[in-house]
Amino acid sequence: MNPLQPKYNKKSRATAREAEAKRASFMSAYPEHGQLLPTQRPPKNEASARSLKLADQELVAKIVAGDKQAFAQIIDRFSSRIYRLAYRMCGSAMDAEDLTQEIFLAIYRSLPSFRGDSALSTWVYRVAMNHCVDFQRRHRPETLSLDEQLVVVTNRWCDNPQEALSKEELGRQIEEALARLAPHHREVVILHELHGLTYAEVAKVLQIPVGTVKSRLSNAFRQLRELLRDYVEDDKNEGAE
Amino acid sequence: MRPYHNLQSRVHLWYKDQLKACLDGEVSPPIYALLRHHIARCEECREELGALRRISSLLQVGAQEPTPWPGLASKILSFIPEQPVGPFNTANRRSLWHRSGVAVVVAVICAVCLWVIVKFNRPDRNLTGSGLQHSNSHQAMSLGRTTPQQVAAVSKTPLSKEPFGAKRGVRGQQELAMGRTAVATPSSQLDQRQQGAGSLLTAPQSRRSSPSSTPFGSGTPDDPLRLSIAVDSISTSCAHLMEVVQRYGGALTMASKPIDSAYNLPLDSDPAACYLLVRVPASHAKAFYMELRRMAVGKPSPSQPETALSEDVATLRAYRPPIVFVKPSPLLFDAPASTPKGRTVKKPSAKPSVQLPPHSRQPVDMPLANPVESGRTVVYIVRLHVPNPPSNLTERGAFLNR
C-alpha cells in the first residue's frame, strides 16, 4: 500500500453520514420550517403537453390550408391575453386594440413558419412581444395623443364603495410602479406575474436565458418592494397583529 | 448595515436572490432544500420572502386587467385575407438569407479594402511628411548647408499648420513661465529650447544609443531603457517632468556642451534635440525611472508602437539603475535641488575650482550636495526632441557647434 496515499474514504463516508443525521434531526426539531416555502411545482404532465402540441400543429395545418374558422379558434384562445399584453406594453386601450389586430394579422401571415419546436402559446407571445417592442420604438412617450386622458378605468357598481376606491387607488399605484420599472424588468413581470408564464416560457418569448429571467424578476421585485413600500409595510403590520 | 460579512454575506445575498425563484417553484430540489435550511435560520430572508409574497398578491389583486372590446375577435377576423397563406417556403427564405449574407460579407470586404487604401496611401509623417522636411531644413540651416528653397519653405510655413502649434499661445507662454520658475534654469536657454513640440526620450546614462532620425525621435524599439513620450508641447512635458523630479527630491537642468564632453555624451547635431540632466537620489532612482517609464507607456510616440513599450517583466527584473557617483560640479547643476521638508541644504564650503570654458554658463554659487544624505545620485539623461523647431534654434545650433 502506498503510504503517501491519504485515507480519506472512511473519513468522508463518516462525515456524510454525520451530516445526514444532523439534517434529519434538524428537520425533525423544526417541522414548522417546512411551511415557510411553498411545495415545489409538480412536474408537468408530459403526455397532455404532447397531445396539446399535436392539436396545435393540426390547428396550424388547417389554417395554412385556408380554414378561416380554425384561425377564429386561435383568436378566441389568445385575443384576451394578447389584448392585455398590448395594453400593458403601450398603456392605452385604443392603441392596444390596434396593436392586437396587427399582432393577429402578423400571426396569420407567419403561421406557416411555426415549426412546433415550442408551444403555440409561446410562439404567439413571442410574435406579440416583438410587435409590442416595435410599437414602443415607433411611439415615443412624448407622442401620446391628447385623448389618452379620456380612457379611464371605471369600477363597476359594488356594495362597498370604500373598498372599490381603495382598490382603484391600489391599481393606480401598481400601474405607476410598473411604469417606473425598466422596460426589460417590466416585460418579465408582466409575462410571469400577470400572464402566468413559467420562467422557461418567458425565456423563450424574450429569447433570453432562464437565469436572466430569474435575475431580472428578482431585481424587479426588489424595485417593486421599494415602490410599493407603503402597501407592503401595511400588509406586514396587519399580519403581525 | 447588513449583519453579514465577507463570504457569509455573499452566501446570504445569493440566497436572497434565489428567493423569488423559490417562491415560484423554479429552483432545483437541492437548492430548494438549501433555501429551506437557510430560511429557517435567517430572519432577513424570512421577511424578504413575506414581502415577495405580498407583492405577488398585490399584483394579482390590484393590477387592473382590461377586458377587450367584445367585437374585437370578429373585427380581427374581418381583416384576415380570404386567400390561404400557403405553406412556408423555407427554400426561398434560406436563399434570401444567403443573398443578404453574401451582400453583407461583400460590403464588409469592400469597407476593409477602402480603409486599407485610405490608411496606407496617406503620406507617412515620419518619413515623407512635412515634419521631416522641416527638421532636415532646420538641421541643414544649423549646419550651414541651407539652400534658398529650404529657407523659403521654413519661413513660409504658417504657424497653424505646425503639428503642435496650438500650444504656442498665451497658455504656452504661461507654461513656459511655470517651467522657468520650477526649474530655475537660465531663461535664455529655456527660451531657446522650450518652444515647439516634441517627444521626450529618456535613457539612463549607461545606455546611450544613436540619436534618432525621425521627427518623433525614438531609438531602437526593442531597447526597453530608451523610452519615448509623445507630448503636445515641450513646455508641458517639462512641467510634468519637473513635477515628477521634485516629487522624488531630485533636480533637473539643461545639458550643455561641456557636460556632453565630460560625460561622453554623443550629442547629435540635430538642432531639434536638446538634453536634460535629471539627478535623483539613488534611493528613489528606480521608482523615478519606473514613473518615467509609465509616462512613456501612457503616451507612446507614433514611431514607437505601444506594443514595443509593453512591460517586459524579465527586463525589468534584470534592470538595475545605473548609479553614478556625481561629484559636485557647477557644470552639472546650477540650481539647488528641491529640499525635502525638514532638511537643510548645506552651504558650499568653497567655490568650485573647475575651470569653465568661456562659452558655458557662469557657475552659480549654490551647493551641489545631494538633497538626501546618502550622497549617491543617479543621473538620467532626458533627450527632448523638437520635431518642428522655431527658426531661432539656429542660434542654438551655432552655440552647439561653436
Side-chain angles (χ1 to χ4, degrees), chain B residues 101-282:
Chain B
V102 167
V104 167
V105 168
V106 168
V108 167
I109 290 170
C110 287
V112 168
C113 290
L114 199 65
W115 179 78
V116 166
I117 289 167
V118 169
K119 177 88 178 169
F120 290 100
N121 273 1
R122 200 170 57 179
D124 194 346
R125 287 184 300 177
N126 295 349
L127 299 172
T128 59
S130 60
L132 183 63
Q133 287 168 4
H134 285 177
S135 178
N136 286 344
S137 316
H138 288 298
Q139 188 173 354
M141 284 163 73
S142 71
L143 295 175
R145 289 183 273 109
T146 319
T147 60
Q149 289 82 6
Q150 282 173 331
V151 173
V154 173
S155 58
K156 281 176 187 174
T157 307
L159 201 64
S160 60
K161 282 193 176 178
E162 290 168 2
F164 303 99
K167 279 275 179 186
R168 293 190 189 173
V170 177
R171 195 177 162 197
Q173 292 300 323
Q174 285 171 353
E175 284 164 355
L176 283 178
M178 282 168 60
R180 254 176 239 132
T181 52
V183 77
T185 32
S187 59
S188 59
Q189 288 212 349
L190 274 171
D191 284 341
Q192 285 173 3
R193 290 179 174 123
Q194 285 191 344
Q195 291 184 39
S199 63
L200 194 63
L201 190 69
T202 67
Q205 195 177 356
S206 65
R207 298 284 195 102
R208 289 188 296 266
S209 57
S210 60
S212 61
S213 59
T214 61
F216 289 94
S218 76
T220 50
D222 53 353
D223 186 357
L225 301 181
R226 288 184 66 87
L227 304 176
S228 174
I229 305 172
V231 289
D232 47 1
S233 81
I234 281 184
S235 55
T236 50
S237 75
C238 275
H240 189 45
L241 188 66
M242 282 164 212
E243 270 181 35
V244 176
V245 169
Q246 283 183 346
R247 210 185 313 139
Y248 285 90
L252 181 145
T253 188
M254 291 282 178
S256 59
K257 199 172 182 181
I259 300 166
D260 312 337
S261 56
Y263 282 89
N264 196 18
L265 264 178
L267 273 192
D268 50 350
S269 58
D270 185 3
C274 61
Y275 286 80
L276 301 174
L277 281 175
V278 178
R279 186 189 64 169
V280 287

Side-chain angles (χ1 to χ4, degrees), chain A:
Chain A
M1 187 182 167
N2 185 5
L4 294 175
Q5 191 179 356
K7 300 172 184 175
Y8 285 140
N9 294 339
K10 283 182 184 176
K11 197 177 176 183
S12 63
R13 238 179 268 150
T15 319
R17 219 176 295 130
E18 279 173 19
E20 185 62 34
K22 269 188 187 174
R23 202 176 300 128
S25 66
F26 177 83
M27 293 310 287
S28 61
Y30 302 99
E32 69 276 10
H33 291 143
Q35 304 301 318
L36 289 169
L37 287 174
T39 53
Q40 278 201 286
R41 188 188 289 267
K44 280 187 176 177
N45 190 350
E46 287 188 8
S48 66
R50 210 176 300 127
S51 64
L52 191 67
K53 215 170 181 179
L54 282 174
D56 284 347
Q57 283 184 350
E58 282 174 16
L59 194 66
V60 169
K62 277 183 189 174
I63 295 166
V64 171
D67 188 353
K68 217 172 170 182
Q69 288 307 312
F71 192 67
Q73 282 183 41
I74 286 190
I75 292 174
D76 286 342
R77 247 170 83 183
F78 294 109
S79 63
S80 175
R81 281 190 262 178
I82 297 297
Y83 175 79
R84 282 192 287 134
L85 180 70
Y87 179 80
R88 285 275 163 226
M89 295 300 286
C90 66
S92 139
M94 291 170 69
D95 285 341
E97 279 188 13
D98 292 344
L99 199 52
T100 310
Q101 289 175 35
E102 277 181 33
I103 289 167
F104 275 105
L105 203 60
I107 287 170
Y108 182 75
R109 283 185 183 144
S110 53
L111 258 181
S113 69
F114 174 67
R115 289 173 296 180
D117 295 339
S118 59
L120 183 63
S121 62
T122 311
W123 184 81
V124 166
Y125 265 109
R126 193 189 299 170
V127 174
M129 207 67 201
N130 289 340
H131 266 76
C132 290
V133 172
D134 283 349
F135 180 86
Q136 281 181 334
R137 279 198 199 122
R138 274 183 282 146
H139 298 258
R140 300 278 174 197
E142 60 266 24
T143 59
L144 282 177
S145 59
L146 288 173
D147 54 355
E148 292 304 313
Q149 300 297 327
L150 301 176
V151 182
V152 179
V153 179
T154 53
N155 270 297
R156 294 185 188 126
W157 180 87
C158 57
D159 292 335
N160 194 345
Q162 192 179 354
E163 190 185 331
L165 201 65
S166 63
K167 193 178 173 186
E168 196 175 331
E169 177 61 23
L170 172 65
R172 202 176 299 123
Q173 293 287 336
I174 287 174
E175 298 291 327
E176 277 180 20
L178 283 176
R180 287 177 71 177
L181 287 181
H184 58 283
H185 286 158
R186 191 166 57 236
E187 288 168 5
V188 177
V189 171
I190 289 169
L191 287 175
H192 178 70
E193 291 296 322
L194 305 181
H195 287 255
L197 267 62
T198 62
Y199 283 19
E201 286 168 346
V202 174
K204 274 184 184 172
V205 168
L206 297 178
Q207 291 171 315
I208 52 176
V210 178
T212 310
V213 175
K214 204 185 274 186
S215 63
R216 281 185 187 177
L217 207 55
S218 180
N219 291 332
F221 264 66
R222 205 164 292 146
Q223 288 178 39
L224 282 174
R225 189 181 174 182
E226 289 297 314
L227 294 169
L228 300 170
R229 188 186 293 163
D230 296 340
Y231 288 95
V232 175
E233 294 298 321
D234 284 352
D235 286 1
K236 185 184 165 188
N237 294 336
E238 282 171 19
E241 285 167 7

Side-chain angles (χ1 to χ4, degrees), chain B residues 379-399:
Chain B
V379 174
Y380 285 102
I381 295 150
V382 180
R383 182 173 178 274
L384 285 172
H385 196 94
V386 189
N388 194 11
S391 58
N392 63 358
L393 271 187
T394 52
E395 295 168 16
R396 180 182 169 262
F399 168 77

Side-chain angles (χ1 to χ4, degrees), chain B residues 285-295 311 316 319:
Chain B
K286 190 162 184 181
F288 170 75
Y289 179 71
M290 288 302 159
E291 177 127 4
L292 273 192
R293 191 179 163 80
R294 271 198 294 278
M295 283 165 65
E311 292 283 337
L316 287 180
Y319 170 65

Side-chain angles (χ1 to χ4, degrees), chain B residues 349-365:
Chain B
S349 56
K351 288 202 172 183
S353 60
V354 180
Q355 192 65 37
L356 297 170
H359 61 269
S360 67
R361 282 170 279 134
Q362 288 301 310
V364 287
D365 189 8

Side-chain angles (χ1 to χ4, degrees), chain A residues 38 40 193 199 222 225, chain B residues 17 20 24 27 32 48 60:
Chain A
Q40 278 201 286
E193 291 296 322
Y199 283 19
R222 205 164 292 146
R225 189 181 174 182
Chain B
D17 286 341
K20 175 62 186 146
D24 295 331
V27 291
Y32 183 79
E48 178 80 14
Q60 299 295 333

